[in-house]
Amino acid sequence: MNTAYVTSKGQLVVPARIRRRYGIKPGTRINFVEENGRIIFQPVTREYIDSFCGVFKRKPGEKPVTQQLIEEHAEEVRRDEEKLARHRG
């Protein structure tokens, strides 16, 4: 187990062994995720970003998410306009 202390400025020094193992360099962004009463320290490195490759890939015949959102919004606007027209009626 590696231990670190928080400074009076709220800074945390990551032990060198952990920095080397996970490729944490000066300027590396760190995400803190709260999960089941624990805090998970997730460095945002190239490897972390690469791990998402293909996660958002569309299935054959599936519309892009942006297109789905545009269509959903257009449908909401159409319903709102119909509702407004009925109330003016």
Side-chain angles (χ1 to χ4, degrees), residues 12 14 18 22 24 29-44 48 52:
L12 179 69
V14 179
I18 300 293
Y22 293 97
I24 301 170
R29 179 176 292 257
I30 305 293
N31 289 335
F32 292 89
V33 181
E34 294 180 66
E35 189 176 279
N36 299 323
R38 299 181 311 172
I39 300 171
I40 298 171
F41 174 99
Q42 175 64 62
V44 182
Y48 176 72
F52 289 104

Side-chain angles (χ1 to χ4, degrees), residues 4 7 13 21 23 31 35 45 49 51-52 61 67 71 73 78 86:
T7 69
V13 177
R21 181 173 181 181
N31 289 335
E35 189 176 279
T45 60
I49 293 168
S51 73
F52 289 104
Q67 183 63 37
E71 290 174 5
H73 178 68
R78 186 190 62 73
R86 276 188 259 128

Side-chain angles (χ1 to χ4, degrees), residues 10 14 16-17 27-29 33 54 60 68 70 75:
V14 179
R17 187 177 81 70
T28 298
R29 179 176 292 257
V33 181
Q68 291 174 15
I70 290 168
E75 180 62 23

Side-chain angles (χ1 to χ4, degrees), residues 40-79:
I40 298 171
F41 174 99
Q42 175 64 62
V44 182
T45 60
R46 171 55 58 202
E47 294 76 19
Y48 176 72
I49 293 168
D50 288 346
S51 73
F52 289 104
C53 267
V55 170
F56 302 108
K57 202 173 203 173
R58 290 180 294 166
K59 295 177 177 81
E62 190 175 54
K63 293 179 186 177
V65 173
T66 51
Q67 183 63 37
Q68 291 174 15
L69 290 172
I70 290 168
E71 290 174 5
E72 287 173 14
H73 178 68
E75 180 62 23
E76 286 176 19
V77 168
R78 186 190 62 73
R79 281 192 304 245

